[in-house]
Amino acid sequence: MGDELRLVERLHEDWPLAKVIAARFDKNLSAETAAQLAAIEAMAEGWRKYFAKKAGGNFVEDQTSRLVGPTGDADRKTEPA
């Protein structure tokens, strides 16, 4: 306990982690901002791909499997193990 953290390098001062995460889940993110984020090479590939799709315009993410499970069956009841 009591370990110290020290920032060694910040590659993209305009994009701290909290701002990137907020942008990832912003339904109203502009195509221009998404393009800026997609161009950050240090970002995880999956996130860069997401921002690139969003930058293309008219992209709507399907979150069904995350919200209701892989089968898409919101009414399915699970039995306790």
Side-chain angles (χ1 to χ4, degrees), residues 4-18:
E4 185 177 309
L5 293 177
R6 183 171 47 97
L7 177 63
V8 175
E9 180 179 27
R10 179 167 297 179
L11 298 175
H12 303 278
E13 289 189 22
D14 293 340
W15 290 106
L17 184 57

Side-chain angles (χ1 to χ4, degrees), residues 62-74 76 78:
D62 180 5
Q63 297 185 12
T64 303
S65 64
R66 183 179 69 79
L67 296 173
V68 298
T71 65
D73 184 3
R76 186 179 74 189
T78 56

Side-chain angles (χ1 to χ4, degrees), residues 12-74:
H12 303 278
E13 289 189 22
D14 293 340
W15 290 106
L17 184 57
K19 189 174 175 182
V20 172
I21 292 170
R24 171 61 179 82
F25 297 103
D26 181 356
K27 292 180 182 181
N28 299 313
L29 185 68
S30 73
E32 179 182 336
T33 300
Q36 290 173 6
L37 288 161
I40 298 176
E41 292 182 16
M43 190 175 307
E45 182 180 351
W47 281 46
R48 288 184 68 205
K49 286 181 179 180
Y50 169 83
F51 287 122
K53 287 179 185 178
K54 190 81 172 176
N58 297 329
F59 171 71
V60 177
E61 184 176 18
D62 180 5
Q63 297 185 12
T64 303
S65 64
R66 183 179 69 79
L67 296 173
V68 298
T71 65
D73 184 3

